[in-house]
Structures are given as structure tokens and as C-alpha cells.
Amino acid sequence: MAFELDQQYLDLRDEAIAVAAAAEPFAVEADAMSTVHEGMRKILAESGLWALTVPARWGGRFESVDPLAVCVVREVLMGTSAHLDSLFALQGIGSFGLARAGSDELRDEWLPKVSSGEVLAGLGLTEQEAGSDLKNIVTEVRRDGERLVLNGNKSFISNGGAAGFYCVLAQEGQGQSLFLVPADAPGLTLTPTPEIIAPHILAELAFDNVEVYEGNRIGEIGKGLEHVLATLAVFRVSVAGASVGLAQAALEEAARHAGTRVQFGRPLARLGAVADMLGASWSELEAARLLTYKAADMARVDPAASLHFSSMAKLVASETAGRITDRAVQISGRFGLVRDSKLERLYRQARPMRIYEGSSEILRLGISKALVGNVVAGHAGSTEGQRR
């Protein structure tokens, strides 16, 4: 088993490092914004990294979206700016269902614009009364004579107000369908979502008799949730990558402080309690990184079959990021509490990562179900065979 990234991924990491360095001067400003920072958007567009979020047919770099490539890039970008990371990742999250199952006409119209960054993409799933429980969404599409109309709401939608289109999950008949809704569709109104602990581009979407066209349905009637789950299968593990990058940045800040700050006649790093936190953090970080790369590589080969590994990686990496940033602030004392310092931003940004794209509790339920199901069925491969 290889434990190092192939050269193509190392080259992508170098590209991402250059992009992050160019974005660093804007990081504090951008991470305080809940609208698009145009400087960050320009840097990403010029970098060509957005091409990683769509298949090659529409301007991408790989024949299909490569979860490991996205993961490696997010690891770097998140260590510099959550805003930068979000702008990058949401292009794929918002458009993957379209790339997977949209009509050729729809994909030809929108995906090249996603690849270039001409338009931003959004995914409309969550509602006021339906978060993780997507089967209970109430937004619906109904036939009204010769047309289809969409009514309902979507809440806390990333890229809300900035996206050029939204892939919206809605009830249709006895199932759920996915529709592409342009941002300028008559009857669609957007209002800002209340600010969260770490500013993020978010909005509430309200659909009032929004006309949707048969050609804008993504995939078959009632099969929308399948495309949503496919999106998670590819992009959930990239949240683990971003978590690892965030934890790495926090640990480096803490180690730098501990190695240069002298108290009681010696550097903090030579005090037992501080050394213990640093040692534990580095060990946990590298363990999370290995699991993340393994899960991303598995998702590259078969995303659906490896979803529980992607869930494990997201769970472990996001929880690890929370612990490491907390220790980093503790090690840095009052310096870690300074508003808009790098550590303070990382500390706030770490908290939402344990909630979005599958909260830790929901992930544990799914992981447990997969484990028990495989073991009861007599498949030791649930824990051993996946090592192949």
C-alpha cells in the first residue's frame, strides 16, 4: 500500500499553495464576509482550480470529478481562508448532480461556466423543518395545466444570493426530484440567513409558483435523492480534507508560539502540559490525514461503495480539527483570543465543520449501520476487505 500522494496530486497541492499565498492578504477581510469577496473569486478563476469540480467534457481536468484531487486542494485552501475554500468546493457540490444526470443541453449550457467560474453553483436541500432528514422536505413541484410550478422554501443555502443557479430537491408525486432553477427565475426570492459563528455566504430561498421546465429536471422523476447521495459520496470526504488543513494551520500557529514564547525561564514547548497537547495534536492530525486520503482514494474508485469510509473520514477529521484548534488557543493563551487573529478565525471556522454535510451524530448512526449490517451478513470485508 502506498502512503504518499502520486505526483499529479503533489503538483495540484503546489498549485493550491500558490493560490493560497496570493489570497493570504485578503484572508481576514474575506473570512468576515457573507457575500462574495471578488478578489478571492478572481484569484480562483485565474488559477484554473475550479476545473477540478466538473468532468473533462465540460472543461474539467479529469474524466470525472476526482475526490482525492478536490480533497488535496481543500486541505491547502482551508488553511489560509474558509472563504476561499468554500468558493472552491461549492462549485462541485452545487453542480455535481447536474453533471451526473442532467440533459446534455442543460450540462452544455451551465457546466463550462462552472468550470471557468463565470457562474457560481448552489445546492438547495435544507429547509426550516428538514435538515438531515431530507425525506421530509415539503418544497414541492406540481403540475399546473401545461406547466410545472415549484413552491416552498430552502434554508441556510450556501452560495445563496451569489449562485447563478440552484439544484433544488423537491417532492414530485410520490418521490423527490432534482431541478435546476436559475437564480433569476420569476417567483424566486432570497433573503439573508442570520449570521453564523464563522461568516459564510448563506441565504434563504423562497419559491412562489416558480415555473420549472421538464428539461430542467435533473435525471428521472422521483430519483433526485439518488443524485444528492452521489454528491455526498464524492464531496463529503473533501470536508475531511478541509478539516485536516484547518487543523494543520492551527497546530503550526500553536507550535510557533510554543517554540518562541518563554515563560518560567524556558519555551512553552518545554513545559510538560504544553508538550503533551502538541504531541497529541500532531499524532491525531496525521492519523486523520491518513484516513482522509484513504477514503478519498476509495471514493475516486467507487464513491457509493465507500460512502461509509468518507463518513468516517469526515467524522474523525472534523472532530480532530475541533480538538486541535481548542488546544492551539489554550497554548497561545490571550494571543489566541485576539479578534481576527489566525487562530481565532480557525477556532470559529472549526465549529461548523462538525455540523454541515452530515453532523457527527448522524454520521455515527450511518457508520454503525454499515458496520453492523456487514458483520451480521458475515462480511468481514466491512473492516478488512476495504484495505485492498
PDB file of all heavy atoms in Angstrom, residues 52-53 64-71 74 92-93 96 100 227-239 295-296 299-300 302-304 306-307 310 357:
ATOM      1  N   LEU A  52     -11.377  21.453 -11.537  1.00  0.00           N
ATOM      2  CA  LEU A  52     -11.389  20.176 -10.823  1.00  0.00           C
ATOM      3  C   LEU A  52     -12.790  19.761 -10.393  1.00  0.00           C
ATOM      4  O   LEU A  52     -13.002  18.610 -10.012  1.00  0.00           O
ATOM      5  CB  LEU A  52     -10.491  20.256  -9.587  1.00  0.00           C
ATOM      6  CG  LEU A  52      -8.997  20.453  -9.839  1.00  0.00           C
ATOM      7  CD1 LEU A  52      -8.276  20.743  -8.529  1.00  0.00           C
ATOM      8  CD2 LEU A  52      -8.398  19.218 -10.509  1.00  0.00           C
ATOM      9  N   THR A  53     -13.740  20.679 -10.436  1.00  0.00           N
ATOM     10  CA  THR A  53     -15.069  20.406  -9.894  1.00  0.00           C
ATOM     11  C   THR A  53     -16.072  19.939 -10.941  1.00  0.00           C
ATOM     12  O   THR A  53     -17.229  19.674 -10.603  1.00  0.00           O
ATOM     13  CB  THR A  53     -15.632  21.651  -9.177  1.00  0.00           C
ATOM     14  OG1 THR A  53     -15.832  22.710 -10.130  1.00  0.00           O
ATOM     15  CG2 THR A  53     -14.675  22.133  -8.094  1.00  0.00           C
ATOM     16  N   SER A  64     -13.813  12.295 -14.808  1.00  0.00           N
ATOM     17  CA  SER A  64     -14.877  12.544 -13.839  1.00  0.00           C
ATOM     18  C   SER A  64     -14.245  13.241 -12.642  1.00  0.00           C
ATOM     19  O   SER A  64     -13.018  13.233 -12.481  1.00  0.00           O
ATOM     20  CB  SER A  64     -15.554  11.239 -13.405  1.00  0.00           C
ATOM     21  OG  SER A  64     -14.604  10.336 -12.876  1.00  0.00           O
ATOM     22  N   VAL A  65     -15.069  13.858 -11.828  1.00  0.00           N
ATOM     23  CA  VAL A  65     -14.537  14.599 -10.676  1.00  0.00           C
ATOM     24  C   VAL A  65     -13.752  13.651  -9.776  1.00  0.00           C
ATOM     25  O   VAL A  65     -14.252  12.578  -9.392  1.00  0.00           O
ATOM     26  CB  VAL A  65     -15.680  15.279  -9.888  1.00  0.00           C
ATOM     27  CG1 VAL A  65     -15.125  15.978  -8.641  1.00  0.00           C
ATOM     28  CG2 VAL A  65     -16.409  16.281 -10.774  1.00  0.00           C
ATOM     29  N   ASP A  66     -12.541  14.040  -9.428  1.00  0.00           N
ATOM     30  CA  ASP A  66     -11.642  13.209  -8.635  1.00  0.00           C
ATOM     31  C   ASP A  66     -11.692  13.665  -7.175  1.00  0.00           C
ATOM     32  O   ASP A  66     -11.198  14.742  -6.846  1.00  0.00           O
ATOM     33  CB  ASP A  66     -10.220  13.344  -9.182  1.00  0.00           C
ATOM     34  CG  ASP A  66      -9.236  12.405  -8.502  1.00  0.00           C
ATOM     35  OD1 ASP A  66      -9.345  12.206  -7.276  1.00  0.00           O
ATOM     36  OD2 ASP A  66      -8.335  11.889  -9.180  1.00  0.00           O
ATOM     37  N   PRO A  67     -12.300  12.861  -6.284  1.00  0.00           N
ATOM     38  CA  PRO A  67     -12.425  13.269  -4.883  1.00  0.00           C
ATOM     39  C   PRO A  67     -11.083  13.528  -4.201  1.00  0.00           C
ATOM     40  O   PRO A  67     -10.978  14.408  -3.344  1.00  0.00           O
ATOM     41  CB  PRO A  67     -13.154  12.096  -4.224  1.00  0.00           C
ATOM     42  CG  PRO A  67     -13.850  11.398  -5.335  1.00  0.00           C
ATOM     43  CD  PRO A  67     -12.956  11.555  -6.523  1.00  0.00           C
ATOM     44  N   LEU A  68     -10.054  12.772  -4.558  1.00  0.00           N
ATOM     45  CA  LEU A  68      -8.751  12.968  -3.933  1.00  0.00           C
ATOM     46  C   LEU A  68      -8.151  14.300  -4.357  1.00  0.00           C
ATOM     47  O   LEU A  68      -7.560  15.016  -3.544  1.00  0.00           O
ATOM     48  CB  LEU A  68      -7.816  11.813  -4.287  1.00  0.00           C
ATOM     49  CG  LEU A  68      -6.425  11.840  -3.637  1.00  0.00           C
ATOM     50  CD1 LEU A  68      -6.512  11.935  -2.111  1.00  0.00           C
ATOM     51  CD2 LEU A  68      -5.618  10.606  -4.055  1.00  0.00           C
ATOM     52  N   ALA A  69      -8.314  14.664  -5.622  1.00  0.00           N
ATOM     53  CA  ALA A  69      -7.811  15.954  -6.089  1.00  0.00           C
ATOM     54  C   ALA A  69      -8.503  17.102  -5.365  1.00  0.00           C
ATOM     55  O   ALA A  69      -7.859  18.064  -4.913  1.00  0.00           O
ATOM     56  CB  ALA A  69      -8.018  16.074  -7.599  1.00  0.00           C
ATOM     57  N   VAL A  70      -9.831  17.010  -5.253  1.00  0.00           N
ATOM     58  CA  VAL A  70     -10.586  18.060  -4.549  1.00  0.00           C
ATOM     59  C   VAL A  70     -10.154  18.123  -3.090  1.00  0.00           C
ATOM     60  O   VAL A  70      -9.990  19.209  -2.518  1.00  0.00           O
ATOM     61  CB  VAL A  70     -12.102  17.785  -4.663  1.00  0.00           C
ATOM     62  CG1 VAL A  70     -12.900  18.777  -3.805  1.00  0.00           C
ATOM     63  CG2 VAL A  70     -12.551  17.876  -6.119  1.00  0.00           C
ATOM     64  N   CYS A  71      -9.939  16.972  -2.489  1.00  0.00           N
ATOM     65  CA  CYS A  71      -9.545  16.874  -1.088  1.00  0.00           C
ATOM     66  C   CYS A  71      -8.194  17.548  -0.842  1.00  0.00           C
ATOM     67  O   CYS A  71      -8.023  18.325   0.105  1.00  0.00           O
ATOM     68  CB  CYS A  71      -9.478  15.402  -0.706  1.00  0.00           C
ATOM     69  SG  CYS A  71      -9.382  15.088   1.048  1.00  0.00           S
ATOM     70  N   ARG A  74      -8.568  21.364  -1.138  1.00  0.00           N
ATOM     71  CA  ARG A  74      -9.280  21.944   0.006  1.00  0.00           C
ATOM     72  C   ARG A  74      -8.403  21.969   1.255  1.00  0.00           C
ATOM     73  O   ARG A  74      -8.498  22.896   2.070  1.00  0.00           O
ATOM     74  CB  ARG A  74     -10.572  21.170   0.295  1.00  0.00           C
ATOM     75  CG  ARG A  74     -11.651  21.336  -0.758  1.00  0.00           C
ATOM     76  CD  ARG A  74     -13.014  20.908  -0.238  1.00  0.00           C
ATOM     77  NE  ARG A  74     -13.493  21.820   0.798  1.00  0.00           N
ATOM     78  CZ  ARG A  74     -14.654  21.680   1.448  1.00  0.00           C
ATOM     79  NH1 ARG A  74     -15.439  20.650   1.163  1.00  0.00           N
ATOM     80  NH2 ARG A  74     -15.011  22.539   2.376  1.00  0.00           N
ATOM     81  N   GLY A  92     -18.339  22.402  -7.078  1.00  0.00           N
ATOM     82  CA  GLY A  92     -18.584  20.981  -7.292  1.00  0.00           C
ATOM     83  C   GLY A  92     -19.821  20.489  -6.582  1.00  0.00           C
ATOM     84  O   GLY A  92     -20.628  19.734  -7.151  1.00  0.00           O
ATOM     85  N   ILE A  93     -19.980  20.898  -5.320  1.00  0.00           N
ATOM     86  CA  ILE A  93     -21.139  20.456  -4.539  1.00  0.00           C
ATOM     87  C   ILE A  93     -22.442  20.909  -5.207  1.00  0.00           C
ATOM     88  O   ILE A  93     -23.418  20.160  -5.274  1.00  0.00           O
ATOM     89  CB  ILE A  93     -21.042  21.001  -3.101  1.00  0.00           C
ATOM     90  CG1 ILE A  93     -19.841  20.363  -2.390  1.00  0.00           C
ATOM     91  CG2 ILE A  93     -22.325  20.741  -2.328  1.00  0.00           C
ATOM     92  CD1 ILE A  93     -19.475  21.024  -1.077  1.00  0.00           C
ATOM     93  N   PHE A  96     -22.667  18.932  -9.048  1.00  0.00           N
ATOM     94  CA  PHE A  96     -22.376  17.523  -9.304  1.00  0.00           C
ATOM     95  C   PHE A  96     -23.604  16.750  -9.781  1.00  0.00           C
ATOM     96  O   PHE A  96     -23.509  15.916 -10.686  1.00  0.00           O
ATOM     97  CB  PHE A  96     -21.793  16.846  -8.061  1.00  0.00           C
ATOM     98  CG  PHE A  96     -21.320  15.444  -8.325  1.00  0.00           C
ATOM     99  CD1 PHE A  96     -20.099  15.234  -8.933  1.00  0.00           C
ATOM    100  CD2 PHE A  96     -22.094  14.344  -7.989  1.00  0.00           C
ATOM    101  CE1 PHE A  96     -19.662  13.940  -9.205  1.00  0.00           C
ATOM    102  CE2 PHE A  96     -21.669  13.058  -8.246  1.00  0.00           C
ATOM    103  CZ  PHE A  96     -20.440  12.853  -8.862  1.00  0.00           C
ATOM    104  N   ARG A 100     -23.900  14.722 -13.264  1.00  0.00           N
ATOM    105  CA  ARG A 100     -24.177  13.281 -13.215  1.00  0.00           C
ATOM    106  C   ARG A 100     -25.387  12.877 -14.038  1.00  0.00           C
ATOM    107  O   ARG A 100     -25.370  11.836 -14.698  1.00  0.00           O
ATOM    108  CB  ARG A 100     -24.392  12.868 -11.753  1.00  0.00           C
ATOM    109  CG  ARG A 100     -24.627  11.387 -11.515  1.00  0.00           C
ATOM    110  CD  ARG A 100     -24.722  11.113 -10.026  1.00  0.00           C
ATOM    111  NE  ARG A 100     -24.679   9.688  -9.734  1.00  0.00           N
ATOM    112  CZ  ARG A 100     -25.752   8.927  -9.507  1.00  0.00           C
ATOM    113  NH1 ARG A 100     -26.964   9.472  -9.555  1.00  0.00           N
ATOM    114  NH2 ARG A 100     -25.606   7.643  -9.237  1.00  0.00           N
ATOM    115  N   HIS A 227     -29.179  11.450  -6.653  1.00  0.00           N
ATOM    116  CA  HIS A 227     -28.137  12.361  -7.125  1.00  0.00           C
ATOM    117  C   HIS A 227     -27.552  13.172  -5.962  1.00  0.00           C
ATOM    118  O   HIS A 227     -26.363  13.518  -5.971  1.00  0.00           O
ATOM    119  CB  HIS A 227     -28.701  13.273  -8.198  1.00  0.00           C
ATOM    120  CG  HIS A 227     -29.404  12.524  -9.294  1.00  0.00           C
ATOM    121  ND1 HIS A 227     -28.857  11.418  -9.901  1.00  0.00           N
ATOM    122  CD2 HIS A 227     -30.623  12.703  -9.860  1.00  0.00           C
ATOM    123  CE1 HIS A 227     -29.699  10.943 -10.798  1.00  0.00           C
ATOM    124  NE2 HIS A 227     -30.784  11.700 -10.788  1.00  0.00           N
ATOM    125  N   VAL A 228     -28.378  13.439  -4.977  1.00  0.00           N
ATOM    126  CA  VAL A 228     -27.887  14.109  -3.770  1.00  0.00           C
ATOM    127  C   VAL A 228     -26.911  13.199  -3.022  1.00  0.00           C
ATOM    128  O   VAL A 228     -25.829  13.630  -2.588  1.00  0.00           O
ATOM    129  CB  VAL A 228     -29.059  14.517  -2.849  1.00  0.00           C
ATOM    130  CG1 VAL A 228     -28.541  15.002  -1.497  1.00  0.00           C
ATOM    131  CG2 VAL A 228     -29.910  15.594  -3.519  1.00  0.00           C
ATOM    132  N   LEU A 229     -27.284  11.933  -2.867  1.00  0.00           N
ATOM    133  CA  LEU A 229     -26.405  10.980  -2.180  1.00  0.00           C
ATOM    134  C   LEU A 229     -25.116  10.771  -2.961  1.00  0.00           C
ATOM    135  O   LEU A 229     -24.037  10.597  -2.366  1.00  0.00           O
ATOM    136  CB  LEU A 229     -27.127   9.657  -1.969  1.00  0.00           C
ATOM    137  CG  LEU A 229     -28.320   9.697  -1.011  1.00  0.00           C
ATOM    138  CD1 LEU A 229     -29.014   8.338  -0.958  1.00  0.00           C
ATOM    139  CD2 LEU A 229     -27.879  10.124   0.387  1.00  0.00           C
ATOM    140  N   ALA A 230     -25.195  10.807  -4.287  1.00  0.00           N
ATOM    141  CA  ALA A 230     -23.990  10.691  -5.102  1.00  0.00           C
ATOM    142  C   ALA A 230     -23.082  11.892  -4.883  1.00  0.00           C
ATOM    143  O   ALA A 230     -21.847  11.761  -4.850  1.00  0.00           O
ATOM    144  CB  ALA A 230     -24.366  10.577  -6.577  1.00  0.00           C
ATOM    145  N   THR A 231     -23.679  13.066  -4.722  1.00  0.00           N
ATOM    146  CA  THR A 231     -22.891  14.263  -4.422  1.00  0.00           C
ATOM    147  C   THR A 231     -22.152  14.099  -3.107  1.00  0.00           C
ATOM    148  O   THR A 231     -20.948  14.410  -2.999  1.00  0.00           O
ATOM    149  CB  THR A 231     -23.810  15.503  -4.358  1.00  0.00           C
ATOM    150  OG1 THR A 231     -24.469  15.670  -5.621  1.00  0.00           O
ATOM    151  CG2 THR A 231     -23.016  16.761  -4.043  1.00  0.00           C
ATOM    152  N   LEU A 232     -22.851  13.599  -2.093  1.00  0.00           N
ATOM    153  CA  LEU A 232     -22.216  13.374  -0.793  1.00  0.00           C
ATOM    154  C   LEU A 232     -21.101  12.340  -0.898  1.00  0.00           C
ATOM    155  O   LEU A 232     -20.058  12.473  -0.250  1.00  0.00           O
ATOM    156  CB  LEU A 232     -23.258  12.919   0.226  1.00  0.00           C
ATOM    157  CG  LEU A 232     -24.327  13.942   0.620  1.00  0.00           C
ATOM    158  CD1 LEU A 232     -25.322  13.319   1.586  1.00  0.00           C
ATOM    159  CD2 LEU A 232     -23.688  15.177   1.247  1.00  0.00           C
ATOM    160  N   ALA A 233     -21.337  11.310  -1.716  1.00  0.00           N
ATOM    161  CA  ALA A 233     -20.333  10.259  -1.854  1.00  0.00           C
ATOM    162  C   ALA A 233     -19.018  10.802  -2.388  1.00  0.00           C
ATOM    163  O   ALA A 233     -17.938  10.322  -2.031  1.00  0.00           O
ATOM    164  CB  ALA A 233     -20.858   9.158  -2.771  1.00  0.00           C
ATOM    165  N   VAL A 234     -19.086  11.819  -3.237  1.00  0.00           N
ATOM    166  CA  VAL A 234     -17.879  12.390  -3.825  1.00  0.00           C
ATOM    167  C   VAL A 234     -17.305  13.518  -2.982  1.00  0.00           C
ATOM    168  O   VAL A 234     -16.089  13.628  -2.815  1.00  0.00           O
ATOM    169  CB  VAL A 234     -18.172  12.890  -5.258  1.00  0.00           C
ATOM    170  CG1 VAL A 234     -16.997  13.695  -5.810  1.00  0.00           C
ATOM    171  CG2 VAL A 234     -18.473  11.708  -6.176  1.00  0.00           C
ATOM    172  N   PHE A 235     -18.162  14.356  -2.398  1.00  0.00           N
ATOM    173  CA  PHE A 235     -17.667  15.585  -1.772  1.00  0.00           C
ATOM    174  C   PHE A 235     -17.610  15.561  -0.247  1.00  0.00           C
ATOM    175  O   PHE A 235     -16.962  16.418   0.348  1.00  0.00           O
ATOM    176  CB  PHE A 235     -18.509  16.786  -2.242  1.00  0.00           C
ATOM    177  CG  PHE A 235     -18.185  17.202  -3.643  1.00  0.00           C
ATOM    178  CD1 PHE A 235     -18.917  16.727  -4.712  1.00  0.00           C
ATOM    179  CD2 PHE A 235     -17.109  18.044  -3.894  1.00  0.00           C
ATOM    180  CE1 PHE A 235     -18.600  17.080  -6.011  1.00  0.00           C
ATOM    181  CE2 PHE A 235     -16.783  18.416  -5.182  1.00  0.00           C
ATOM    182  CZ  PHE A 235     -17.525  17.941  -6.252  1.00  0.00           C
ATOM    183  N   ARG A 236     -18.273  14.598   0.397  1.00  0.00           N
ATOM    184  CA  ARG A 236     -18.204  14.568   1.859  1.00  0.00           C
ATOM    185  C   ARG A 236     -16.774  14.410   2.349  1.00  0.00           C
ATOM    186  O   ARG A 236     -16.346  15.057   3.303  1.00  0.00           O
ATOM    187  CB  ARG A 236     -19.087  13.452   2.418  1.00  0.00           C
ATOM    188  CG  ARG A 236     -18.962  13.299   3.938  1.00  0.00           C
ATOM    189  CD  ARG A 236     -19.962  12.294   4.484  1.00  0.00           C
ATOM    190  NE  ARG A 236     -21.293  12.870   4.544  1.00  0.00           N
ATOM    191  CZ  ARG A 236     -22.416  12.159   4.702  1.00  0.00           C
ATOM    192  NH1 ARG A 236     -22.340  10.837   4.764  1.00  0.00           N
ATOM    193  NH2 ARG A 236     -23.580  12.758   4.776  1.00  0.00           N
ATOM    194  N   VAL A 237     -16.008  13.558   1.687  1.00  0.00           N
ATOM    195  CA  VAL A 237     -14.633  13.326   2.125  1.00  0.00           C
ATOM    196  C   VAL A 237     -13.782  14.581   1.961  1.00  0.00           C
ATOM    197  O   VAL A 237     -12.788  14.757   2.669  1.00  0.00           O
ATOM    198  CB  VAL A 237     -14.011  12.131   1.369  1.00  0.00           C
ATOM    199  CG1 VAL A 237     -13.755  12.459  -0.102  1.00  0.00           C
ATOM    200  CG2 VAL A 237     -12.723  11.675   2.038  1.00  0.00           C
ATOM    201  N   SER A 238     -14.182  15.479   1.059  1.00  0.00           N
ATOM    202  CA  SER A 238     -13.402  16.713   0.896  1.00  0.00           C
ATOM    203  C   SER A 238     -13.543  17.622   2.111  1.00  0.00           C
ATOM    204  O   SER A 238     -12.661  18.455   2.378  1.00  0.00           O
ATOM    205  CB  SER A 238     -13.816  17.453  -0.381  1.00  0.00           C
ATOM    206  OG  SER A 238     -15.034  18.149  -0.236  1.00  0.00           O
ATOM    207  N   VAL A 239     -14.644  17.473   2.874  1.00  0.00           N
ATOM    208  CA  VAL A 239     -14.767  18.225   4.134  1.00  0.00           C
ATOM    209  C   VAL A 239     -13.712  17.735   5.116  1.00  0.00           C
ATOM    210  O   VAL A 239     -13.159  18.510   5.897  1.00  0.00           O
ATOM    211  CB  VAL A 239     -16.176  18.071   4.736  1.00  0.00           C
ATOM    212  CG1 VAL A 239     -16.308  18.912   6.008  1.00  0.00           C
ATOM    213  CG2 VAL A 239     -17.247  18.473   3.731  1.00  0.00           C
ATOM    214  N   ALA A 295      -9.823   7.337   2.331  1.00  0.00           N
ATOM    215  CA  ALA A 295     -11.236   7.432   1.961  1.00  0.00           C
ATOM    216  C   ALA A 295     -11.402   8.164   0.635  1.00  0.00           C
ATOM    217  O   ALA A 295     -12.249   7.784  -0.191  1.00  0.00           O
ATOM    218  CB  ALA A 295     -12.014   8.149   3.063  1.00  0.00           C
ATOM    219  N   ALA A 296     -10.613   9.206   0.399  1.00  0.00           N
ATOM    220  CA  ALA A 296     -10.709   9.954  -0.852  1.00  0.00           C
ATOM    221  C   ALA A 296     -10.281   9.096  -2.028  1.00  0.00           C
ATOM    222  O   ALA A 296     -10.875   9.154  -3.115  1.00  0.00           O
ATOM    223  CB  ALA A 296      -9.857  11.218  -0.777  1.00  0.00           C
ATOM    224  N   ALA A 299     -13.081   6.734  -2.710  1.00  0.00           N
ATOM    225  CA  ALA A 299     -14.177   7.437  -3.369  1.00  0.00           C
ATOM    226  C   ALA A 299     -13.856   7.708  -4.833  1.00  0.00           C
ATOM    227  O   ALA A 299     -14.762   7.765  -5.674  1.00  0.00           O
ATOM    228  CB  ALA A 299     -14.475   8.747  -2.642  1.00  0.00           C
ATOM    229  N   ARG A 300     -12.592   7.853  -5.137  1.00  0.00           N
ATOM    230  CA  ARG A 300     -12.169   8.049  -6.524  1.00  0.00           C
ATOM    231  C   ARG A 300     -12.501   6.818  -7.364  1.00  0.00           C
ATOM    232  O   ARG A 300     -12.877   6.925  -8.537  1.00  0.00           O
ATOM    233  CB  ARG A 300     -10.662   8.315  -6.551  1.00  0.00           C
ATOM    234  CG  ARG A 300     -10.074   8.613  -7.913  1.00  0.00           C
ATOM    235  CD  ARG A 300      -8.580   8.920  -7.784  1.00  0.00           C
ATOM    236  NE  ARG A 300      -7.854   7.803  -7.196  1.00  0.00           N
ATOM    237  CZ  ARG A 300      -7.427   6.748  -7.893  1.00  0.00           C
ATOM    238  NH1 ARG A 300      -7.662   6.680  -9.185  1.00  0.00           N
ATOM    239  NH2 ARG A 300      -6.769   5.770  -7.296  1.00  0.00           N
ATOM    240  N   ASP A 302     -14.787   4.137  -6.327  1.00  0.00           N
ATOM    241  CA  ASP A 302     -16.204   3.766  -6.234  1.00  0.00           C
ATOM    242  C   ASP A 302     -16.848   4.584  -5.116  1.00  0.00           C
ATOM    243  O   ASP A 302     -16.901   4.138  -3.965  1.00  0.00           O
ATOM    244  CB  ASP A 302     -16.342   2.273  -5.952  1.00  0.00           C
ATOM    245  CG  ASP A 302     -17.784   1.779  -6.090  1.00  0.00           C
ATOM    246  OD1 ASP A 302     -18.709   2.626  -6.063  1.00  0.00           O
ATOM    247  OD2 ASP A 302     -17.988   0.556  -6.213  1.00  0.00           O
ATOM    248  N   PRO A 303     -17.342   5.790  -5.427  1.00  0.00           N
ATOM    249  CA  PRO A 303     -17.865   6.682  -4.392  1.00  0.00           C
ATOM    250  C   PRO A 303     -18.988   6.081  -3.560  1.00  0.00           C
ATOM    251  O   PRO A 303     -18.980   6.180  -2.332  1.00  0.00           O
ATOM    252  CB  PRO A 303     -18.362   7.897  -5.189  1.00  0.00           C
ATOM    253  CG  PRO A 303     -17.614   7.849  -6.471  1.00  0.00           C
ATOM    254  CD  PRO A 303     -17.406   6.389  -6.759  1.00  0.00           C
ATOM    255  N   ALA A 304     -19.953   5.439  -4.210  1.00  0.00           N
ATOM    256  CA  ALA A 304     -21.113   4.924  -3.479  1.00  0.00           C
ATOM    257  C   ALA A 304     -20.723   3.811  -2.515  1.00  0.00           C
ATOM    258  O   ALA A 304     -21.181   3.775  -1.365  1.00  0.00           O
ATOM    259  CB  ALA A 304     -22.172   4.435  -4.460  1.00  0.00           C
ATOM    260  N   SER A 306     -18.006   3.319  -1.026  1.00  0.00           N
ATOM    261  CA  SER A 306     -17.098   3.747   0.044  1.00  0.00           C
ATOM    262  C   SER A 306     -17.652   4.908   0.866  1.00  0.00           C
ATOM    263  O   SER A 306     -16.914   5.554   1.603  1.00  0.00           O
ATOM    264  CB  SER A 306     -15.740   4.145  -0.544  1.00  0.00           C
ATOM    265  OG  SER A 306     -15.883   5.215  -1.464  1.00  0.00           O
ATOM    266  N   LEU A 307     -18.967   5.152   0.750  1.00  0.00           N
ATOM    267  CA  LEU A 307     -19.540   6.311   1.438  1.00  0.00           C
ATOM    268  C   LEU A 307     -19.314   6.242   2.944  1.00  0.00           C
ATOM    269  O   LEU A 307     -19.074   7.263   3.593  1.00  0.00           O
ATOM    270  CB  LEU A 307     -21.038   6.431   1.138  1.00  0.00           C
ATOM    271  CG  LEU A 307     -21.768   7.597   1.806  1.00  0.00           C
ATOM    272  CD1 LEU A 307     -21.129   8.936   1.450  1.00  0.00           C
ATOM    273  CD2 LEU A 307     -23.248   7.601   1.429  1.00  0.00           C
ATOM    274  N   SER A 310     -15.954   7.565   3.677  1.00  0.00           N
ATOM    275  CA  SER A 310     -15.964   9.022   3.578  1.00  0.00           C
ATOM    276  C   SER A 310     -16.585   9.636   4.826  1.00  0.00           C
ATOM    277  O   SER A 310     -16.120  10.655   5.343  1.00  0.00           O
ATOM    278  CB  SER A 310     -16.743   9.469   2.338  1.00  0.00           C
ATOM    279  OG  SER A 310     -16.081   9.072   1.158  1.00  0.00           O
ATOM    280  N   GLU A 357     -22.750  19.017   6.008  1.00  0.00           N
ATOM    281  CA  GLU A 357     -22.508  17.798   5.218  1.00  0.00           C
ATOM    282  C   GLU A 357     -22.486  16.541   6.084  1.00  0.00           C
ATOM    283  O   GLU A 357     -21.668  15.644   5.903  1.00  0.00           O
ATOM    284  CB  GLU A 357     -21.226  17.923   4.394  1.00  0.00           C
ATOM    285  CG  GLU A 357     -21.375  18.898   3.259  1.00  0.00           C
ATOM    286  CD  GLU A 357     -20.677  18.462   1.993  1.00  0.00           C
ATOM    287  OE1 GLU A 357     -20.596  17.259   1.727  1.00  0.00           O
ATOM    288  OE2 GLU A 357     -20.229  19.351   1.268  1.00  0.00           O
TER     289      GLU A 357
END
